[in-house]
């Protein structure tokens, strides 16, 4: 079940939400360092993570599922959000270079149709990046944040799900090692928590990230069945 869009907005306006955004943006930038000239879509509630790409990518759009709701974004400019059915994206085939799923996969009741739509919309060299709560992390165990909602995944579970949907996982990462607390002392040391966690405690990260490409199979050569050939007998000679 999706979180309400207002609750998501309110979380990301808190101190904890802003720290989480900063940590995940940093990891996202490491995976996607250059999006110049690319068409980028966020599905779920991805707007906090799309902002750095607004001035770089050719096009940035935030798709928000109907069950979640939609808000105008960004506040300071023309709206680039749209309310969609995640199983029927309003996109042409092979028209998008990057798709970012945040607060989407773990909440959707149409997981396979949504992934099939992402596969259809991605261009041949396109990339899908999925952010989900880590099943082994503390963030998935507490419902005071959006990362405590929905179905969490381990890296192995997420990788298998993507492979079953005709994607090829190419890179994985982990983020959010800081505890989900409002303590100013803890939040001020977020950078240190991330550095230590990335080096020693990746299993217990709050969020799992996997980047994948679409698998494209060659069309099999049709098997031609042998056709029956008619054999003509000469007409009998009249006696």
């Amino acid at each position: 079940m999706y979180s309400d869009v207002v609750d998501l907005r309110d979380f990301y306006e808190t101190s904890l939400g802003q720290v989480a955004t900063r940590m995940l943006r940093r990891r996202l930038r490491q995976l996607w360092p250059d999006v110049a000239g690319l068409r980028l879509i966020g599905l779920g509630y991805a707007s906090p993570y799309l902002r750095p790409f607004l001035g770089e990518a050719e096009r940035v759009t935030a798709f928000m599922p109907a069950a979640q709701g939609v808000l105008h974004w960004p506040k300071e400019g023309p709206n680039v959000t749209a309310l969609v059915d995640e199983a029927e994206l309003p996109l042409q085939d092979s028209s998008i270079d990057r798709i970012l799923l945040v607060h989407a996969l773990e909440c959707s009741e149409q997981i396979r149709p949504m992934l099939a739509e992402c596969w259809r919309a991605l261009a041949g060299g396109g990339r899908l990046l999925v952010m989900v709560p880590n099943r082994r992390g503390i963030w998935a165990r507490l419902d005071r944040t959006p990362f405590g909602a929905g179905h969490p995944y381990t890296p192995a579970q997420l990788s298998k799900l993507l492979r079953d949907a005709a994607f090829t996982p190419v890179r994985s990462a982990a983020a959010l090692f800081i505890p989900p607390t409002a303590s100013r002392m803890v939040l001020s040391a977020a950078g240190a928590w991330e550095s230590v966690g990335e080096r020693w405690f990746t299993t217990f990260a709050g969020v799992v990230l996997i980047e994948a490409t679409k698998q494209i199979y060659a069309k099999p050569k049709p098997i031609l069945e042998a056709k029956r050939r008619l054999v003509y007998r000469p007409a009998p000679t009249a006696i």
Side-chain angles (χ1 to χ4, degrees), residues 1-12:
M1 180 182 296
Y2 283 99
S3 300
D4 186 84
V5 68
V6 175
D7 294 334
L8 290 163
R9 179 201 62 189
D10 292 346
F11 166 74
Y12 280 104

Side-chain angles (χ1 to χ4, degrees), residues 16-30 49 131 139 174-178 187 189-195 198 209:
L16 179 59
Q18 291 172 9
V19 169
T21 302
R22 189 167 68 251
M23 297 299 102
L24 287 169
R25 276 183 184 173
R26 182 170 67 90
R27 181 61 75 188
L28 176 59
R29 179 59 80 176
Q30 291 174 350
Y49 307 101
M131 289 188 190
W139 286 73
L176 279 192
F177 297 93
I178 185 173
L187 295 180
W193 280 92
E194 292 297 303
S195 297
E198 289 172 12
L209 302 91

Side-chain angles (χ1 to χ4, degrees), residues 7 11 14 16 138-139 141-149 179-182:
D7 294 334
F11 166 74
T14 66
L16 179 59
I138 191 174
W139 286 73
R141 302 175 187 274
L142 302 176
D143 60 4
R144 68 176 67 129
T145 79
F147 297 100
T181 175

Side-chain angles (χ1 to χ4, degrees), residues 80-158:
V80 296
T81 64
L83 191 68
V84 301
D85 179 348
E86 68 264 38
E88 294 184 12
L89 299 180
L91 297 169
Q92 295 181 349
D93 294 355
S94 303
S95 60
I96 301 300
D97 302 299
R98 297 286 189 274
I99 297 180
L100 174 64
L101 299 186
V102 184
H103 302 305
L105 194 68
E106 71 272 24
C107 300
S108 177
E109 297 178 359
Q110 305 182 82
I111 294 176
R112 295 189 183 280
M114 177 175 64
L115 289 176
E117 279 294 276
C118 291
W119 192 98
R120 179 188 63 81
L122 272 179
R127 297 293 179 103
L128 172 73
L129 181 58
V130 184
M131 289 188 190
V132 294
N134 181 13
R135 179 179 290 277
R136 297 191 180 100
I138 191 174
W139 286 73
R141 302 175 187 274
L142 302 176
D143 60 4
R144 68 176 67 129
T145 79
F147 297 100
H151 180 81
Y153 292 85
T154 64
Q157 290 171 339
L158 181 57

Side-chain angles (χ1 to χ4, degrees), residues 219-237:
K219 186 176 180 181
K221 184 177 181 180
I223 300 175
L224 301 178
E225 295 183 1
K227 294 183 179 180
R228 296 178 60 187
R229 300 181 63 181
L230 299 178
V231 177
Y232 296 92
R233 293 183 179 178
T237 304

